[in-house]
């Protein structure tokens, strides 16, 4: 071979090598970037060429693909009861997705490696590719009851319910809500314009308040302080007596921590049960200071705080707050100061007490099936933490039942069912009326459901610590009745 042919051969080989490198670079390195490029029209049409799988809850279809007459867009997404399940299903827009539509996208559109066998069979039989179906853990009766009851309050807020023994999420409601259908169309102009409107809205309808927002937990957090206090000394119990001054001097300051409205808590010395029933601030502030920051923070971590959780959507981080002085610790111990919790975290606390001290990892996806109904994957409940001993959980259960029967949460009572709970009123930093909280589980002797309710600025025009009991507890009652009674 002469030198000229050699040079031509080398040049050809170099060009083939460069071509192969470029192809692999585009397909592997830049694939995601190019697929997201709005100018990639072919990819845009292909997004609607596959029949995405259904999302179901309790046998009810809450998201599905329906065939159209359009030659460009073969399938579009449809959401029965769209507003009711919006923060569960999410939306499937021309260039993005949210909630389950996003977290389970590769299963829903059929591209997951878990569906390789199904795709191979379909290729052999000539059937079109279909996505997998996602069954969520939501109980439709609980979801509807939570949505209706919270909507009747006329306020922003959230309700989340968990099955204590498994961690399955039974209800996930955030208000205000939105219609995912408006964000799942094929007209980019209309979809993007509507998304901008919702994203800029002051009341944040796109925000899933159950997992995406933290709040001061107020007096609902007192069950955590009580848990730490009982764990610190196993001889303590519901009848243990503690100091309950009308005002608790805060070290290093010239102010005192009062009970709500400056009221007295008993005669100055009360049982732990009475302190929780009446939600007295001073004994809990004193407990927190006596225990110290490390023991209080450790107890919060045992309930799951500080652990990154996905349900599968990511959950905002709850936080007891950094270590400061004794005065700050007293305030954090009654659910104020830097103490910030998601409604999911507070539901997990209730569920952990209900489940004899064990907190289960919360989850929203129950089962994945292929287009023929064959199971691909199924939920396997998993323990997250051991929050308290079984003995301590029993003591807390007894006291929380008394809160509902004799204390601030009497409006949460369900005929024929023993309900455990704790009310809360949380001051806000923006000068708005306090938030109203309630956490609960029932039946107390064999819990089937644990939940947390928050009504933003829901304590207005009611007064007293019982505002959580007046505003949030009735919402919880509606959910409990939907799950536990026929």
């Amino acid at each position: 071979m002469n030198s000229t042919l050699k040079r031509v051969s080398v040049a050809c080989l170099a060009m083939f090598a460069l071509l192969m490198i470029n192809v692999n670079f585009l397909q592997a390195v830049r694939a995601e970037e190019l697929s997201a490029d709005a100018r990639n029209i072919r990819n845009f049409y292909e997004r609607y060429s596959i029949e995405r799988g259904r999302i179901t809850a309790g046998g009810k279809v809450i998201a599905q693909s329906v065939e159209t007459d359009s030659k460009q867009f073969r399938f579009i997404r449809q959401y029965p009861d769209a507003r009711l399940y919006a923060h569960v299903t999410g939306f499937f827009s021309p260039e993005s997705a949210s909630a389950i539509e996003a977290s389970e996208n590769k299963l829903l559109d059929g591209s997951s490696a878990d569906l390789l066998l199904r795709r191979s069979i379909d290729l052999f039989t000539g059937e079109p590719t279909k996505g997998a179906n996602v069954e969520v853990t939501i109980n439709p009766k609980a979801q509807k009851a939570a949505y209706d009851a919270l909507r009747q309050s006329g306020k922003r807020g959230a309700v989340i319910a968990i099955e204590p023994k498994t961690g399955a999420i039974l209800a996930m409601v955030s208000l205000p809500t939105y219609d995912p259908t408006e964000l799942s169309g094929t007209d980019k102009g209309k979809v993007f314009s509507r998304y901008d409107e919702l994203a800029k809205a002051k009341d944040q309808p796109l925000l899933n308040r159950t997992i995406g927002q933290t709040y001061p937990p107020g007096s609902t957090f007192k069950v955590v302080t009580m848990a730490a206090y009982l764990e610190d000394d196993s001889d303590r119990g519901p009848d243990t007596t503690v100091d309950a001054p009308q005002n608790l001097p805060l070290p290093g300051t010239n102010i005192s921590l009062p009970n709500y409205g400056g009221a007295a808590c008993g005669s100055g010395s009360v049982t732990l049960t009475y302190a929780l029933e009446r939600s007295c601030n001073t004994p809990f502030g004193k407990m927190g200071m006596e225990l110290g920051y490390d023991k209080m923070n450790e107890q919060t971590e045992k309930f799951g705080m500080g652990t990154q959780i996905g349900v599968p959507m990511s959950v905002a981080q709850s936080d007891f707050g950094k270590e400061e002085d004794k005065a700050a610790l007293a305030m954090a111990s009654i659910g104020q100061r830097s103490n910030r919790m998601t409604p999911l975290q507070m539901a997990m606390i209730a569920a952990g007490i209900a489940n004899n001290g064990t907190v289960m990892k919360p989850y929203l996806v129950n089962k994945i099936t292929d287009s023929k109904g064959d199971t691909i994957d199924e939920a396997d409940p998993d323990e997250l933490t051991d929050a308290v001993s079984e003995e301590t959980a029993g003591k807390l259960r007894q006291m929380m039942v008394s809160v509902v029967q004799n204390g601030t949460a009497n409006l949460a009572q369900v005929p024929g069912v023993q309900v455990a709970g704790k009310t809360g009123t949380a001051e806000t930093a923006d000068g708005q009326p306090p938030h109203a909280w309630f956490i609960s589980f029932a039946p107390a002797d064999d819990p089937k459901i644990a939940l947390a309710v928050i009504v933003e600025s829901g304590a207005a025009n009611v007064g007293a610590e019982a505002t959580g009991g007046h505003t949030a507890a009735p919402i919880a009652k509606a959910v409990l009745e939907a799950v536990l009674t026929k």
Side-chain angles (χ1 to χ4, degrees):
M1 183 181 293
N2 59 40
S3 59
T4 302
L5 287 176
K6 285 183 179 180
R7 287 196 293 271
V8 172
S9 298
V10 170
C12 289
L13 287 172
M15 286 189 288
F16 274 115
L18 290 172
L19 181 61
M20 292 303 297
I21 291 171
N22 184 56
V23 168
N24 281 279
F25 176 73
L26 291 175
Q27 292 184 345
V29 179
R30 295 193 62 200
E32 188 171 343
E33 173 192 344
L34 292 172
S35 66
D37 194 323
R39 295 169 297 176
N40 192 339
I41 303 300
R42 178 180 177 183
N43 180 71
F44 175 46
Y45 292 146
E46 286 182 351
R47 189 172 174 82
Y48 298 91
S49 66
I50 295 173
E51 184 176 356
R52 287 171 70 83
R54 299 186 304 276
I55 303 175
T56 62
K60 180 183 178 64
V61 176
I62 59 176
Q64 63 184 346
S65 289
V66 293
E67 196 162 4
T68 73
D69 295 329
S70 171
K71 293 181 179 180
Q72 295 177 321
F73 307 103
R74 186 177 176 188
F75 295 99
I76 59 170
R77 211 62 171 149
Q78 186 181 79
Y79 300 91
D81 291 320
R83 293 180 178 274
L84 175 60
Y85 293 98
H87 293 100
V88 176
T89 63
F91 58 80
F92 180 72
S93 83
E95 293 181 10
S96 64
S98 69
I100 292 295
E101 290 279 30
S103 64
E104 305 303 309
N105 181 59
K106 288 189 176 181
L107 286 162
L108 288 166
D109 71 7
S111 64
S112 171
D114 293 337
L115 295 171
L116 179 60
L117 178 60
R118 181 74 263 162
R119 290 199 301 271
S120 299
I121 294 173
D122 289 343
L123 181 64
F124 181 77
T125 60
E127 292 192 29
T129 298
K130 293 183 180 180
N133 302 311
V134 177
E135 177 188 290
V136 295
T137 56
I138 297 294
N139 179 321
K141 290 173 64 178
Q143 185 80 0
K144 184 67 162 56
Y147 179 81
D148 289 344
L150 184 57
R151 189 174 55 173
Q152 286 174 10
S153 74
K155 299 282 188 177
R156 301 187 302 269
V159 182
I160 187 157
I162 300 174
E163 187 175 60
K165 294 178 182 178
T166 65
I169 296 173
L170 303 177
M172 177 181 275
V173 171
S174 178
L175 289 184
T177 185
Y178 69 99
D179 184 350
T181 307
E182 297 177 339
L183 304 181
S184 301
T186 57
D187 187 324
K188 289 187 179 183
K190 289 182 179 179
V191 168
F192 295 164
S193 175
R194 181 56 178 154
Y195 180 87
D196 288 342
E197 289 177 7
L198 293 170
K200 294 174 183 178
K202 186 177 180 180
D203 56 4
Q204 297 179 284
L206 295 176
L207 173 65
N208 184 346
R209 288 167 163 82
T210 66
I211 61 173
Q213 179 72 41
T214 60
Y215 304 87
S219 293
T220 56
F221 188 81
K222 289 172 182 174
V223 299
V224 179
T225 303
M226 183 71 81
Y229 193 69
L230 294 173
E231 287 281 278
D232 188 55
D233 186 345
S234 60
D235 289 334
R236 292 170 179 157
D239 296 326
T240 298
T241 300
V242 292
D243 293 337
Q246 189 166 348
N247 292 281
L248 178 68
L250 297 178
T253 74
N254 58 0
I255 61 174
S256 296
L257 172 65
N259 294 310
Y260 190 88
C265 180
S267 58
S269 179
V270 299
T271 65
L272 293 179
T273 297
Y274 186 91
L276 198 67
E277 282 177 358
R278 304 300 168 186
S279 200
C280 306
N281 287 336
T282 58
F284 285 96
K286 193 169 187 294
M287 286 180 209
M289 289 193 294
E290 288 178 0
L291 290 166
Y293 177 84
D294 289 342
K295 287 183 179 179
M296 283 296 301
N297 190 55
E298 182 182 359
Q299 186 61 70
T300 66
E301 291 175 349
K302 286 183 177 180
F303 275 109
M305 283 164 258
T307 302
Q308 189 59 53
I309 297 172
V311 294
M313 300 93 80
S314 61
V315 180
Q317 195 71 57
S318 295
D319 188 9
F320 181 61
K322 65 181 181 179
E323 184 173 8
E324 298 181 73
D325 54 24
K326 288 284 188 179
L329 179 58
M331 296 300 294
S333 298
I334 64 167
Q336 295 289 168
R337 191 69 181 190
S338 300
N339 194 338
R340 305 281 297 187
M341 302 289 150
T342 61
L344 174 62
Q345 180 61 72
M346 294 311 300
M348 289 166 61
I349 290 168
I353 296 169
N355 194 37
N356 296 319
T358 299
V359 179
M360 302 298 290
K361 189 178 296 183
Y363 63 94
L364 186 57
V365 176
N366 186 49
K367 185 189 291 186
I368 306 292
T369 59
D370 65 19
S371 58
K372 300 300 182 182
D374 295 327
T375 299
I376 297 169
D377 194 14
E378 202 162 3
D380 183 16
D382 188 20
E383 292 183 9
L384 182 65
T385 62
D386 287 320
V388 294
S389 67
E390 187 172 343
E391 180 184 6
T392 294
K395 295 172 183 176
L396 288 167
R397 181 186 299 111
Q398 179 182 334
M399 288 187 278
M400 291 175 71
V401 167
S402 193
V403 170
V404 176
Q405 293 181 343
N406 308 306
T408 57
N410 62 304
L411 293 182
Q413 294 178 10
V414 176
V417 178
Q418 194 175 58
V419 178
K422 180 69 189 79
T423 58
T425 301
E427 299 294 332
T428 58
D430 56 7
Q432 296 296 312
H435 299 323
W437 276 93
F438 186 63
I439 61 173
S440 180
F441 59 87
D445 58 344
D446 184 21
K448 300 293 191 300
I449 178 174
L451 55 79
V453 177
I454 183 171
V455 182
E456 293 184 13
S457 303
N461 303 319
V462 180
E465 167 58 32
T467 51
H470 278 88
T471 308
I475 296 172
K477 177 183 178 179
V479 180
L480 295 175
E481 287 181 326
V483 173
L484 302 175
T485 62
K486 296 181 180 181

